[in-house]
Amino acid sequence: MSLNQLLILATWQTIYMVGVSSIIGMLFGIPLGIILAITHKNGICEQRILHQVLAIIINATRSIPFIILLVAITPLTRLLTGTSIGTLAAIVPLSVGAIPFIARIIETAIYEVPRGLHETGMALGANHWQVIRYFLLPEALPAIIDGMTVVIVALIGYSAMAGAIGGGGLGEVAINYGYQRFNMKIMLITIIILIMLVQLIQFLGERWANHLRHKISH
């Protein structure tokens, strides 16, 4: 395989890992974040015990460094994917690592929506789900996009870490070809590609969030 083919494949593997784990993280993290926000003190469905239990679980998960999480959930990874090595296997720890961060982002974004908006929704006869769907989430969306941009950028860094222990992607190329074979050219190229990916995600995220803020303010 030529260098170009190797880098193209590794870049695609990184995008694939980050993309799929972001989607899985959102599928679990968004509902979890909504539950956290509405069961919070003064939330529209205040349930302090449930909130505290979820908060403890999320904080515990967030406190585990990703490299340790990567190894600790190897049995789960093997159970779900049939292997603990490769791009598909790396998606499991990346997703597990993303869920608590996304949940906190959703919770914070919703919690910062002015309380008057809750009351307006309730005064118009909306039920709890309608208040969340039509009042809270649209207002919180720019902050959610900003937060998701941060999560995706973090996942790009995590994917490089996963690649260092057989997860594929640019991280594996940097370690196996750049570091172990003392090939600084490959190391430099992988770093540049990672920087470009982060810059692109940050640019798109900021543009989208600013567009939504402009739309809401008008």
Side-chain angles (χ1 to χ4, degrees), residues 50-62:
L50 175 61
H51 180 86
Q52 285 300 324
V53 171
L54 290 176
I56 289 170
I57 294 171
I58 287 174
N59 287 342
T61 310
R62 289 177 64 195

Side-chain angles (χ1 to χ4, degrees), residues 18-34 36 58 62 94-110 143-144 147-152 155:
V18 172
V20 174
S21 57
S22 297
I23 292 171
I24 295 174
M26 284 190 279
L27 286 176
F28 289 92
I30 290 175
L32 194 55
I34 292 173
L36 279 169
I58 287 174
R62 289 177 64 195
L94 286 171
S95 301
V96 173
I99 289 171
F101 285 98
I102 294 174
R104 282 300 189 193
I105 286 166
I106 300 295
E107 179 197 11
T108 304
I110 292 177
I144 292 173
M148 283 306 306
T149 303
V150 174
V151 171
I152 293 172
L155 286 177

